[in-house]
Amino acid sequence: MNVIHSVELHLPGDKLPGYYAQIVKGIANTVTLLDRDKTLLFVTSEAEAAEIENFVQHYRVETDRGIWLALEESWEVNERKFEDYGVRTRSGSRYLDLHLAAVMELSSGGGDSELAQALEQCEEHSAAKQHKEGRQLLAVDREQIELIEGIARAYRCRADLLL
């Protein structure tokens, strides 16, 4: 799983469009951006996020930091819920906000577990899911971790928090 960082720029509304272009050009000369969604910039490390923040201080731009999971192609998103927990950029990349969502792994708890039924019920609450190499991963609201754990117990399965 590829965890990345973001910096959201809160640009002043009273500036000309060239002002924003100047800032973005300066940032691009400072760090390598992985991707962006309007004023939300994605980078690989906390250090790069700090470099962006230091650079935009000169322009008196306020920022917010974030931590995200870059979703691989094998992740299926729940179109009804995904936008509440993530973004899809113009390049088609999908990122899950780890301040809002958690990634959990569901697995069989033994011989009498009912993993298929547990997954079916848990997937109703998920923003995205991945079934890969025997792993069943779900991206759920952080406030629903206990709910997912309870569903897993009811079907004699395990639910482990990964991120």
PDB file of all heavy atoms in Angstrom, residues 54-69:
ATOM      1  N   ASN A  54       6.842  25.670   3.499  1.00  0.00           N
ATOM      2  CA  ASN A  54       7.858  26.711   3.647  1.00  0.00           C
ATOM      3  C   ASN A  54       7.872  27.647   2.446  1.00  0.00           C
ATOM      4  O   ASN A  54       8.004  28.869   2.591  1.00  0.00           O
ATOM      5  CB  ASN A  54       9.248  26.098   3.854  1.00  0.00           C
ATOM      6  CG  ASN A  54       9.387  25.444   5.203  1.00  0.00           C
ATOM      7  OD1 ASN A  54       8.697  25.796   6.159  1.00  0.00           O
ATOM      8  ND2 ASN A  54      10.272  24.466   5.305  1.00  0.00           N
ATOM      9  N   PHE A  55       7.736  27.089   1.245  1.00  0.00           N
ATOM     10  CA  PHE A  55       7.758  27.897   0.029  1.00  0.00           C
ATOM     11  C   PHE A  55       6.581  28.867  -0.012  1.00  0.00           C
ATOM     12  O   PHE A  55       6.746  30.042  -0.321  1.00  0.00           O
ATOM     13  CB  PHE A  55       7.757  27.000  -1.210  1.00  0.00           C
ATOM     14  CG  PHE A  55       7.717  27.778  -2.489  1.00  0.00           C
ATOM     15  CD1 PHE A  55       8.879  28.331  -3.010  1.00  0.00           C
ATOM     16  CD2 PHE A  55       6.522  27.974  -3.162  1.00  0.00           C
ATOM     17  CE1 PHE A  55       8.851  29.076  -4.180  1.00  0.00           C
ATOM     18  CE2 PHE A  55       6.478  28.710  -4.330  1.00  0.00           C
ATOM     19  CZ  PHE A  55       7.645  29.267  -4.843  1.00  0.00           C
ATOM     20  N   VAL A  56       5.368  28.394   0.304  1.00  0.00           N
ATOM     21  CA  VAL A  56       4.183  29.248   0.160  1.00  0.00           C
ATOM     22  C   VAL A  56       4.024  30.261   1.298  1.00  0.00           C
ATOM     23  O   VAL A  56       3.220  31.177   1.173  1.00  0.00           O
ATOM     24  CB  VAL A  56       2.887  28.425  -0.022  1.00  0.00           C
ATOM     25  CG1 VAL A  56       2.964  27.572  -1.268  1.00  0.00           C
ATOM     26  CG2 VAL A  56       2.549  27.598   1.200  1.00  0.00           C
ATOM     27  N   GLN A  57       4.811  30.130   2.368  1.00  0.00           N
ATOM     28  CA  GLN A  57       4.772  31.142   3.437  1.00  0.00           C
ATOM     29  C   GLN A  57       5.112  32.515   2.879  1.00  0.00           C
ATOM     30  O   GLN A  57       4.544  33.517   3.308  1.00  0.00           O
ATOM     31  CB  GLN A  57       5.748  30.776   4.564  1.00  0.00           C
ATOM     32  CG  GLN A  57       5.216  29.775   5.530  1.00  0.00           C
ATOM     33  CD  GLN A  57       6.210  29.489   6.647  1.00  0.00           C
ATOM     34  OE1 GLN A  57       7.368  29.886   6.595  1.00  0.00           O
ATOM     35  NE2 GLN A  57       5.737  28.789   7.658  1.00  0.00           N
ATOM     36  N   HIS A  58       6.042  32.558   1.931  1.00  0.00           N
ATOM     37  CA  HIS A  58       6.448  33.812   1.292  1.00  0.00           C
ATOM     38  C   HIS A  58       5.253  34.508   0.642  1.00  0.00           C
ATOM     39  O   HIS A  58       5.179  35.735   0.596  1.00  0.00           O
ATOM     40  CB  HIS A  58       7.546  33.535   0.252  1.00  0.00           C
ATOM     41  CG  HIS A  58       7.866  34.689  -0.618  1.00  0.00           C
ATOM     42  ND1 HIS A  58       8.562  35.781  -0.166  1.00  0.00           N
ATOM     43  CD2 HIS A  58       7.571  34.932  -1.921  1.00  0.00           C
ATOM     44  CE1 HIS A  58       8.688  36.653  -1.155  1.00  0.00           C
ATOM     45  NE2 HIS A  58       8.097  36.158  -2.233  1.00  0.00           N
ATOM     46  N   TYR A  59       4.292  33.715   0.153  1.00  0.00           N
ATOM     47  CA  TYR A  59       3.109  34.252  -0.519  1.00  0.00           C
ATOM     48  C   TYR A  59       1.923  34.422   0.438  1.00  0.00           C
ATOM     49  O   TYR A  59       0.832  34.774   0.016  1.00  0.00           O
ATOM     50  CB  TYR A  59       2.700  33.332  -1.675  1.00  0.00           C
ATOM     51  CG  TYR A  59       3.718  33.277  -2.782  1.00  0.00           C
ATOM     52  CD1 TYR A  59       4.691  32.293  -2.809  1.00  0.00           C
ATOM     53  CD2 TYR A  59       3.709  34.227  -3.797  1.00  0.00           C
ATOM     54  CE1 TYR A  59       5.624  32.234  -3.835  1.00  0.00           C
ATOM     55  CE2 TYR A  59       4.648  34.179  -4.823  1.00  0.00           C
ATOM     56  CZ  TYR A  59       5.602  33.186  -4.828  1.00  0.00           C
ATOM     57  OH  TYR A  59       6.524  33.141  -5.840  1.00  0.00           O
ATOM     58  N   ARG A  60       2.153  34.132   1.706  1.00  0.00           N
ATOM     59  CA  ARG A  60       1.110  34.215   2.749  1.00  0.00           C
ATOM     60  C   ARG A  60      -0.105  33.335   2.417  1.00  0.00           C
ATOM     61  O   ARG A  60      -1.248  33.751   2.544  1.00  0.00           O
ATOM     62  CB  ARG A  60       0.698  35.657   2.972  1.00  0.00           C
ATOM     63  CG  ARG A  60       1.803  36.493   3.559  1.00  0.00           C
ATOM     64  CD  ARG A  60       1.295  37.858   3.968  1.00  0.00           C
ATOM     65  NE  ARG A  60       2.318  38.591   4.667  1.00  0.00           N
ATOM     66  CZ  ARG A  60       3.132  39.471   4.089  1.00  0.00           C
ATOM     67  NH1 ARG A  60       3.035  39.706   2.794  1.00  0.00           N
ATOM     68  NH2 ARG A  60       4.036  40.116   4.803  1.00  0.00           N
ATOM     69  N   VAL A  61       0.194  32.114   1.982  1.00  0.00           N
ATOM     70  CA  VAL A  61      -0.847  31.144   1.661  1.00  0.00           C
ATOM     71  C   VAL A  61      -0.966  30.174   2.829  1.00  0.00           C
ATOM     72  O   VAL A  61       0.024  29.590   3.260  1.00  0.00           O
ATOM     73  CB  VAL A  61      -0.498  30.373   0.362  1.00  0.00           C
ATOM     74  CG1 VAL A  61      -1.475  29.230   0.126  1.00  0.00           C
ATOM     75  CG2 VAL A  61      -0.478  31.323  -0.821  1.00  0.00           C
ATOM     76  N   GLU A  62      -2.177  30.024   3.339  1.00  0.00           N
ATOM     77  CA  GLU A  62      -2.414  29.059   4.407  1.00  0.00           C
ATOM     78  C   GLU A  62      -2.538  27.660   3.809  1.00  0.00           C
ATOM     79  O   GLU A  62      -2.962  27.503   2.664  1.00  0.00           O
ATOM     80  CB  GLU A  62      -3.679  29.423   5.173  1.00  0.00           C
ATOM     81  CG  GLU A  62      -3.531  30.718   5.951  1.00  0.00           C
ATOM     82  CD  GLU A  62      -4.744  31.025   6.803  1.00  0.00           C
ATOM     83  OE1 GLU A  62      -5.487  30.074   7.156  1.00  0.00           O
ATOM     84  OE2 GLU A  62      -4.938  32.192   7.111  1.00  0.00           O
ATOM     85  N   THR A  63      -2.165  26.659   4.606  1.00  0.00           N
ATOM     86  CA  THR A  63      -2.170  25.281   4.117  1.00  0.00           C
ATOM     87  C   THR A  63      -2.759  24.324   5.151  1.00  0.00           C
ATOM     88  O   THR A  63      -2.821  24.643   6.341  1.00  0.00           O
ATOM     89  CB  THR A  63      -0.733  24.807   3.794  1.00  0.00           C
ATOM     90  OG1 THR A  63       0.049  24.854   4.987  1.00  0.00           O
ATOM     91  CG2 THR A  63      -0.088  25.661   2.715  1.00  0.00           C
ATOM     92  N   ASP A  64      -3.166  23.167   4.666  1.00  0.00           N
ATOM     93  CA  ASP A  64      -3.563  22.038   5.511  1.00  0.00           C
ATOM     94  C   ASP A  64      -2.856  20.814   4.961  1.00  0.00           C
ATOM     95  O   ASP A  64      -2.797  20.624   3.751  1.00  0.00           O
ATOM     96  CB  ASP A  64      -5.075  21.788   5.462  1.00  0.00           C
ATOM     97  CG  ASP A  64      -5.859  22.822   6.233  1.00  0.00           C
ATOM     98  OD1 ASP A  64      -5.416  23.219   7.316  1.00  0.00           O
ATOM     99  OD2 ASP A  64      -6.941  23.224   5.736  1.00  0.00           O
ATOM    100  N   ARG A  65      -2.351  19.981   5.860  1.00  0.00           N
ATOM    101  CA  ARG A  65      -1.695  18.736   5.444  1.00  0.00           C
ATOM    102  C   ARG A  65      -2.652  17.567   5.540  1.00  0.00           C
ATOM    103  O   ARG A  65      -3.567  17.557   6.348  1.00  0.00           O
ATOM    104  CB  ARG A  65      -0.502  18.435   6.348  1.00  0.00           C
ATOM    105  CG  ARG A  65       0.727  19.168   5.946  1.00  0.00           C
ATOM    106  CD  ARG A  65       1.928  18.416   6.411  1.00  0.00           C
ATOM    107  NE  ARG A  65       3.021  19.349   6.616  1.00  0.00           N
ATOM    108  CZ  ARG A  65       4.203  18.997   7.036  1.00  0.00           C
ATOM    109  NH1 ARG A  65       4.447  17.732   7.344  1.00  0.00           N
ATOM    110  NH2 ARG A  65       5.157  19.876   7.174  1.00  0.00           N
ATOM    111  N   GLY A  66      -2.375  16.555   4.722  1.00  0.00           N
ATOM    112  CA  GLY A  66      -3.177  15.343   4.757  1.00  0.00           C
ATOM    113  C   GLY A  66      -2.314  14.130   4.512  1.00  0.00           C
ATOM    114  O   GLY A  66      -1.165  14.230   4.080  1.00  0.00           O
ATOM    115  N   ILE A  67      -2.882  12.982   4.821  1.00  0.00           N
ATOM    116  CA  ILE A  67      -2.213  11.704   4.546  1.00  0.00           C
ATOM    117  C   ILE A  67      -3.230  10.835   3.815  1.00  0.00           C
ATOM    118  O   ILE A  67      -4.404  10.770   4.206  1.00  0.00           O
ATOM    119  CB  ILE A  67      -1.657  11.056   5.827  1.00  0.00           C
ATOM    120  CG1 ILE A  67      -0.847   9.841   5.481  1.00  0.00           C
ATOM    121  CG2 ILE A  67      -2.718  10.780   6.837  1.00  0.00           C
ATOM    122  CD1 ILE A  67       0.083   9.395   6.597  1.00  0.00           C
ATOM    123  N   TRP A  68      -2.785  10.197   2.744  1.00  0.00           N
ATOM    124  CA  TRP A  68      -3.671   9.531   1.806  1.00  0.00           C
ATOM    125  C   TRP A  68      -3.136   8.152   1.428  1.00  0.00           C
ATOM    126  O   TRP A  68      -1.945   7.915   1.490  1.00  0.00           O
ATOM    127  CB  TRP A  68      -3.788  10.361   0.523  1.00  0.00           C
ATOM    128  CG  TRP A  68      -4.324  11.728   0.745  1.00  0.00           C
ATOM    129  CD1 TRP A  68      -3.646  12.798   1.266  1.00  0.00           C
ATOM    130  CD2 TRP A  68      -5.634  12.195   0.476  1.00  0.00           C
ATOM    131  NE1 TRP A  68      -4.471  13.891   1.319  1.00  0.00           N
ATOM    132  CE2 TRP A  68      -5.690  13.554   0.838  1.00  0.00           C
ATOM    133  CE3 TRP A  68      -6.767  11.589  -0.062  1.00  0.00           C
ATOM    134  CZ2 TRP A  68      -6.844  14.320   0.692  1.00  0.00           C
ATOM    135  CZ3 TRP A  68      -7.915  12.361  -0.207  1.00  0.00           C
ATOM    136  CH2 TRP A  68      -7.950  13.708   0.161  1.00  0.00           C
ATOM    137  N   LEU A  69      -4.029   7.315   0.973  1.00  0.00           N
ATOM    138  CA  LEU A  69      -3.656   6.048   0.378  1.00  0.00           C
ATOM    139  C   LEU A  69      -3.909   6.156  -1.117  1.00  0.00           C
ATOM    140  O   LEU A  69      -5.031   6.460  -1.541  1.00  0.00           O
ATOM    141  CB  LEU A  69      -4.492   4.899   0.959  1.00  0.00           C
ATOM    142  CG  LEU A  69      -4.262   3.523   0.333  1.00  0.00           C
ATOM    143  CD1 LEU A  69      -2.821   3.049   0.590  1.00  0.00           C
ATOM    144  CD2 LEU A  69      -5.259   2.516   0.877  1.00  0.00           C
TER     145      LEU A  69
END
